[in-house]
Amino acid sequence: MTETTVGIGGAAESTDMVLNIGPQHPSTHGVLRLRLVLDGERIQSAEPVVGYMHRGAEKLFEARDYRQIIMLANRHDWLSAFSNELGVVLAVERMLGMEVPERAVWTRTLLAELNRVLNHLMFLGSYPLELGGITPIFYAFREREDLQHVMEEISGGRMHYMFNRVGGLKEDLPAGWLGRARQAVAEVRSRMGVYDDLVLGNEIFRGRTRGVGVLARETVHAYGVSGPIARASGVDFDLRRDEPYLAYPELQDVLEVAVRQEGDCLARFECLLEQTHASLALADACLDRLDELPPGPINQRLPKVLKAPEGHTYAWTENPLGLNGYYLVSKGEKTPYRLKLRSASYNNIQALTELLPGTLVADMVAILGSLFFVVGDIDK
């Protein structure tokens, strides 16, 4: 018998390695940086380092009037532009005590749900891509194009719609648009089974996501996590049902909230997919209602200089990625004195400090991708 001792270098067994993921990295959806401390292949601690895309939108709100801030507000989460605009105009309308025409209320609800589907389809395609499955992203973009066509027809924009206005919407819908929108929704719904078969039916995808990155309910509450990520951990809260706004009070029979108890990556993906189906059903209900409404105004006439009365208010909406809050303070001028934006991705991404320690580096991409964030929504 011959024994051989191999030297591995001084103190190598007890030395932690610091690894930076990003700020530019294929798995971080933009300029997010993760500072990981590793023990071999296992993560000991994780620190999200944010701010690389910070554009000072909240400060710019103070130098723009109430019509101009809509343009700034729709850009932080570039996958949910219509929903971002909506929260701002709801806050201003609340300050003004303004009633919006019924036709505008139902159209806003319809467009918010179509925007939600567009957001979710991007993640339904990109998440499998990050785990090595390239095919679903092609299907996701096919479905997105069908809906993008009808959104582009009414607003002229593919990402930044700028269709909301204080008091309603920019203009009425084009002739025949409701029929084209109904056809687009029907086509997308008819092909949604692809994600059940191609993604959820894939044993490799399920093996990479089941039981990985389990987010506890206590952590959800502690970090203010919201949206599909929170509901995947058993936190059954959705503003559209629990504090309804727009036309959601009349859609309670149609609205279904997807909830899971497992809290892992697979549960988050399942919640996202189920919520997409639910939004398509809500869009159909809105189209039915708009067909029944008589012709009428879709906005309110506003003065040339719009000033909100002195005071403050808080409006929040159930955005595709979670809760968006808008705290508006007015001094009676034509610009906000302060407009604080509470974005969903900022809170959601902080949970990585609890999720990543103890997991393998190989699972880091699966966990990060399942949090469904947009970096601009973190940095504002």
Side-chain angles (χ1 to χ4, degrees):
M1 291 288 294
T2 304
E3 285 190 21
T4 305
T5 303
V6 180
I8 58 172
E13 293 181 346
S14 60
T15 301
D16 294 331
M17 173 183 172
V18 177
L19 178 66
N20 279 297
I21 304 292
Q24 274 103 0
H25 192 273
S27 69
T28 58
H29 298 285
V31 284
L32 171 71
R33 175 183 163 210
L34 290 177
R35 184 180 181 277
L36 308 179
V37 178
L38 306 179
D39 180 9
E41 285 291 307
R42 200 164 291 278
I43 298 171
Q44 284 191 325
S45 67
E47 178 192 0
V49 182
V50 303
Y52 291 94
M53 280 193 69
H54 181 61
R55 291 161 290 177
E58 290 177 341
K59 198 64 183 172
L60 289 172
F61 287 152
E62 300 170 16
R64 305 288 189 276
D65 67 34
Y66 287 105
R67 293 179 175 90
Q68 295 169 325
I69 60 174
I70 300 171
M71 179 274 295
L72 291 170
N74 76 3
R75 280 162 165 72
H76 57 90
D77 175 4
W78 46 79
L79 296 178
S80 312
F82 186 87
S83 302
N84 298 340
E85 302 169 9
L86 185 60
V88 171
V89 296
L90 288 176
V92 178
E93 288 162 4
R94 184 173 296 178
M95 286 286 285
L96 293 167
M98 180 180 290
E99 287 289 332
V100 176
E102 186 180 14
R103 190 171 181 79
V105 171
W106 281 96
T107 307
R108 279 177 172 179
T109 310
L110 167 63
L111 297 177
E113 291 306 318
L114 293 180
N115 194 200
R116 193 182 310 274
V117 175
L118 284 169
N119 176 290
H120 291 351
L121 282 170
M122 176 61 77
F123 290 109
L124 291 174
S126 68
Y127 186 43
L129 178 65
E130 290 163 4
L131 299 180
I134 192 173
T135 309
I137 192 73
F138 297 119
Y139 288 103
F141 269 86
R142 180 186 65 182
E143 270 65 89
R144 276 176 56 85
E145 280 302 309
D146 286 340
L147 297 178
Q148 285 281 27
H149 286 321
V150 294
M151 296 290 281
E152 187 175 1
E153 183 183 353
I154 58 165
S155 67
R158 287 180 59 83
M159 287 185 70
H160 305 303
Y161 304 110
M162 279 300 295
F163 198 56
N164 275 293
R165 295 292 186 273
V166 176
L169 295 168
K170 176 186 173 186
E171 57 197 7
D172 208 345
L173 304 173
W177 184 87
L178 290 176
R180 292 187 287 277
R182 190 183 296 277
Q183 183 180 359
V185 169
E187 288 179 359
V188 171
R189 180 188 278 109
S190 69
R191 298 195 290 253
M192 285 301 294
V194 167
Y195 302 96
D196 290 307
D197 302 333
L198 197 64
V199 183
L200 290 180
N202 186 299
E203 61 184 60
I204 298 175
F205 178 83
R206 299 183 77 87
R208 288 289 307 275
T209 55
R210 185 191 285 118
V212 174
V214 177
L215 182 63
R217 291 186 61 174
E218 296 76 18
T219 307
V220 168
H221 292 306
Y223 283 86
V225 175
S226 59
I229 303 170
R231 291 191 284 274
S233 295
V235 179
D236 187 5
F237 182 74
D238 190 311
L239 271 182
R240 297 172 297 171
R241 180 197 62 200
D242 301 320
E243 284 194 28
Y245 56 99
L246 293 182
Y248 292 115
E250 299 182 49
L251 292 169
Q252 296 302 301
D253 294 338
V254 183
L255 176 61
E256 294 183 5
V257 179
V259 181
R260 294 289 187 277
Q261 302 299 325
E262 295 84 359
D264 57 8
C265 295
L266 181 60
R268 291 191 277 275
F269 186 86
E270 288 175 343
C271 273
L272 200 74
L273 180 56
E274 193 173 323
Q275 190 166 290
T276 308
H277 285 284
S279 291
L280 290 169
L282 286 168
D284 264 339
C286 292
L287 287 165
D288 292 339
R289 179 64 172 152
L290 283 167
D291 274 336
E292 299 168 0
L293 286 178
I298 203 161
N299 50 35
Q300 296 275 23
R301 291 184 64 86
L302 299 177
K304 285 187 176 181
V305 178
L306 179 64
K307 294 183 179 182
E310 190 168 347
H312 60 93
T313 190
Y314 183 77
W316 57 343
T317 57
E318 185 69 43
N319 266 37
L321 298 180
L323 297 178
N324 262 37
Y326 303 84
Y327 179 58
L328 173 62
V329 181
S330 171
K331 295 289 188 180
E333 302 295 331
K334 65 178 182 178
T335 62
Y337 177 74
R338 185 80 171 90
L339 180 53
K340 175 71 176 74
L341 172 62
R342 187 264 191 217
S343 59
S345 297
Y346 181 79
N347 288 68
N348 292 353
I349 207 68
Q350 305 307 319
L352 284 170
T353 57
E354 302 281 346
L355 270 177
L356 289 178
T359 63
L360 296 171
V361 175
D363 290 330
M364 184 273 298
V365 175
I367 296 169
L368 186 64
S370 72
L371 290 186
F372 312 129
F373 63 90
V374 171
V375 176
D377 200 41
I378 300 170
D379 292 342
K380 303 190 284 290

